[in-house]
């Protein structure tokens, strides 16, 4: 039986790239250029990770990871790049009141798969069928589908039979429930949402954690800092991009403070 | 929610999957305006955003709590932390139940208006949303203001360098003063109600008994000084505290409490801190733990 895990089984040790301006800008551009969230996840992981053990982190390798492993890497990246991040806020779904919550991203709640097999076998009304563990590729394709029954859509995408998509339309509710259970047992899982009682209205509410929303720097922020530094110091773009992300932020902040204080921030003659 | 449904939620835009948990103080900025007057654009961008700091106390790092709900068949790795309540109920009231899961923290209502603040108190958050985020526009967070209490001086070195949730903002990140070492920090697993704003509308008084849960050690918001008392006077020309405000502190019934309460009139409470200015630059630059201690005490009044 799979149990609590601090590191996904079978996933190599991730290694972050040097967090320079170039790395951050690449990640920010990847997010901005992605059409869907799964695409953004693939692009961000490939941009920020250097390798998983000895294997280089490319878009293909990130796309082939199980969905839970991808989310684990996102939370891991968020905890490494923002170790001070601990308190989160959201609004209750019922009363709309804001509340605060403490979450430790360095310890994601991850569960390895219960079985060693990479597929799930289900006895459906159409016969015995096999389904693959959902990966990033399945997520990317799912995101392009119009909203329907997600179980049916994923059954069609993950089905390993030659006519999986057509058969997915013929599965009844019982088949879909069996497929869901079998795929869940064969797949790892991670907690990317919380379910709590609102401290104001005492009703149950939930909230999602999406590191893409706060852990990846925005392109505009980076370019603004680059602009401030270039304008004040006259450094070329490549030199600024080679700065560590924190160094660049410190320089930009110092420039800003000097301007606010009324002192000219710029090159000395 | 089924496993495949949760997977599908990950593939959808975040706004469609429910409310997002965002780091405290995180503000999604609008794209920087492209204008000839670059200085004006930058200054406007910086001065228009601020973050409100809600919780000054820092929870203990040893009492880690992880709020997770979607990991199935999983014994959650959480430890029950001790609850530190801002105002404790008497022994007769119900004791707080031990918590085994993370609980959210309630916030104080937003104060009506804030006076203009100096530049040292404003915290600029520089974030610009990328221009191409079509599906993410709905998730732009409203602007929030941060206010540094005047008791806590800000040095240039203490300002956050990049993000509002840097170490000096996030609770628990700053090293505690030795004098505060014995104080219990609020556990991450326990919801803490925040102190309410000092001003409240008169209509809110009718809801006071519902908000202060007995035994939770949580006091309902105090009524504004004088503002709701005129209608509640007992005919003797003196205002008195509503019984429901005292219920959080005394186990007696409201009727008995109202009959026994001595009318108390408090219309103003001034706290004056007088301290000599530091004589040397070194003393000015050193972190003033004495002021931090006083500031912490004042916040717990």
């Amino acid at each position: 039986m799979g149990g609590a895990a601090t590191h996904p089984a079978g996933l190599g040790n991730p290694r972050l790239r040097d967090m320079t301006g170039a790395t951050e800008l690449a990640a920010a551009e990847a997010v901005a250029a992605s059409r869907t969230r799964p695409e953004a996840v693939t692009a961000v992981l490939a941009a920020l990770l250097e390798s998983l053990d000895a294997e280089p982190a490319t878009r293909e390798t990130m796309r082939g990871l199980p969905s839970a492993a991808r989310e684990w890497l996102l939370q891991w990246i968020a905890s490494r790049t923002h170790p001070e991040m601990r308190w989160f806020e959201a609004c209750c779904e019922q009363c709309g009141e804001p509340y605060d919550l403490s979450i430790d991203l360095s310890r994601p709640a991850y569960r390895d798969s219960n079985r060693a097999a990479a597929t799930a076998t289900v006895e459906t009304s159409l016969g015995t069928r096999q389904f693959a563990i959902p990966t990033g590729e399945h997520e990317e394709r799912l995101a392009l589908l119009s909203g329907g029954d997600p179980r049916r859509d994923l059954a069609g995408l993950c089905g390993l039979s030659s006519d999986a998509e057509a058969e997915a339309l013929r599965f009844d509710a019982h088949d879909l429930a069996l497929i869901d259970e079998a795929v869940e047992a064969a797949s790892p899982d991670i907690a990317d949402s919380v379910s709590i009682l609102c401290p104001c209205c005492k009703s149950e509410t939930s909230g999602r954690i999406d590191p893409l929303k706060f852990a990846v720097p925005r392109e505009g922020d980076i370019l603004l800092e680059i602009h401030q530094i270039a304008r004040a110091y006259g450094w070329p773009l490549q030199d600024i991009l080679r700065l560590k992300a924190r160094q660049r932020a410190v320089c930009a902040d110092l420039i800003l403070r000097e301007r606010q204080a009324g002192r000219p921030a710029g090159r000395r003659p | 929610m089924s496993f495949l449904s949760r997977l599908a939620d990950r593939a959808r835009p975040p706004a469609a999957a429910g409310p997002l948990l965002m780091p405290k103080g995180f503000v999604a900025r609008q794209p920087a305006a492209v204008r000839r007057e670059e200085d004006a654009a930058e200054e406007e961008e910086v001065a228009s955003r601020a973050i409100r700091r809600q919780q000054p106390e820092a929870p203990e790092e040893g009492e880690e709590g992880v709020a997770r709900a979607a990991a199935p068949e999983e014994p959650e790795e959480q430890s029950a932390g001790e609850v530190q309540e801002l105002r404790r109920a008497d022994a007769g009231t119900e004791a707080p139940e031990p918590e085994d899961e993370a609980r959210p923290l309630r916030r104080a209502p937003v104060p009506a208006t804030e006076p203009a603040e100096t530049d040292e108190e404003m915290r600029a958050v520089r974030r610009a949303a990328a221009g191409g985020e079509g599906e993410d526009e709905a998730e732009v967070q409203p602007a929030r203001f941060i206010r540094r209490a005047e008791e806590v001086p800000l040095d240039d070195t203490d300002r956050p360098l990049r993000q509002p949730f840097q170490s000096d903002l996030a609770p628990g990140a700053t090293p505690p003063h030795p004098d505060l070492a014995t104080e219990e920090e609020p556990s991450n697993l326990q919801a803490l109600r925040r102190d309410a704003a000092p001003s409240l509308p008169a209509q809110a008084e009718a809801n006071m008994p519902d908000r202060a849960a007995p035994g939770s050690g949580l006091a309902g918001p105090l009524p504004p000084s004088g503002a709701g008392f005129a209608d509640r006077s007992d005919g003797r020309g003196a205002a008195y505290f509503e019984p429901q405000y005292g219920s959080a502190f005394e186990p007696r019934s409201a009727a008995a409490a109202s009959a026994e309460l001595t009318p108390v009139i408090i219309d103003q409470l001034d706290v004056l801190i007088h301290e000599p200015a530091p004589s040397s630059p070194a003393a000015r630059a050193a972190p003033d733990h004495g002021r931090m201690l006083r500031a912490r005490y004042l916040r717990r009044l």
Side-chain angles (χ1 to χ4, degrees), chain A residues 169-199:
Chain A
L169 299 175
R170 295 162 55 192
F171 287 141
D172 55 20
H174 182 64
D175 292 333
L176 295 177
L178 291 177
I179 294 170
D180 189 289
E181 289 179 9
V183 172
E184 180 179 4
S187 303
D189 199 4
I190 188 171
D192 59 355
S193 62
V194 297
S195 179
I196 56 174
L197 287 179
C198 174

Side-chain angles (χ1 to χ4, degrees), chain B residues 91-264:
Chain B
T93 58
E94 180 181 350
E97 297 177 356
E99 295 295 333
D100 56 356
E101 60 182 9
R103 292 180 61 181
L105 304 180
R106 183 183 180 184
R107 287 195 196 160
V110 177
T113 56
E114 297 181 353
E117 299 177 346
T118 62
D119 290 339
E120 289 187 355
E121 295 179 345
M122 293 294 291
R123 185 64 52 79
V125 177
R126 297 175 287 111
R127 288 204 174 274
E133 293 183 358
E135 62 185 19
D136 298 332
E137 291 301 328
E139 290 301 315
V140 172
Q141 299 293 328
R144 290 187 171 85
F145 290 90
I146 186 172
R147 164 184 280 176
R148 278 278 187 182
E150 292 185 0
E151 298 88 350
V152 180
L154 276 182
D155 296 329
D156 288 344
T157 57
D158 293 340
R159 291 190 178 189
L161 298 179
R162 186 178 188 192
Q163 296 180 0
F165 38 82
Q166 291 289 329
S167 59
D168 56 343
L169 276 181
T174 55
H177 190 267
D179 292 346
L180 306 178
T182 57
E183 290 195 14
E184 294 179 350
E185 295 293 350
S187 166
N188 298 336
L189 302 178
Q190 182 63 38
L192 298 179
R193 285 181 186 248
R194 299 181 179 276
D195 290 335
S199 63
L200 284 172
Q203 296 82 349
E205 293 181 1
N207 298 327
M208 291 307 173
D210 298 328
R211 286 188 173 258
S216 62
L218 307 173
L222 294 177
S225 58
F229 281 39
D231 297 334
R232 308 270 184 186
S233 64
D234 58 355
R236 293 175 288 175
Y240 59 91
F241 281 109
E242 287 290 347
Q244 56 266 30
Y245 299 138
S247 62
F249 302 92
E250 300 182 22
R252 293 171 293 176
S253 66
S258 63
E260 300 175 7
L261 282 178
T262 303
V264 177

Side-chain angles (χ1 to χ4, degrees), chain A residues 134-172:
Chain A
T135 63
E137 182 176 356
H138 298 119
E139 288 185 308
E140 291 182 4
R141 293 166 61 187
L142 178 67
L144 298 177
L145 297 177
S146 58
D149 188 348
R151 299 179 302 171
R152 195 178 301 278
D153 292 338
L154 279 170
L157 294 172
C158 299
L160 297 178
S161 64
S162 58
D163 199 14
E165 292 188 4
E167 289 181 351
L169 299 175
R170 295 162 55 192
F171 287 141
D172 55 20

Side-chain angles (χ1 to χ4, degrees), chain A residues 229-241:
Chain A
I229 295 173
R231 189 166 178 268
Y233 300 156
W235 293 353
L237 176 62
Q238 295 306 318
D239 289 349
I240 300 174
L241 289 178

Side-chain angles (χ1 to χ4, degrees), chain A residues 23 80 84 111 129 134 152 188 208-209 211 222 228 240:
Chain A
T23 303
R80 290 293 298 271
E84 71 290 344
R111 178 186 62 80
R129 297 290 184 269
R152 195 178 301 278
R208 276 196 61 196
I209 305 167
I222 302 171
Q228 289 174 337
I240 300 174

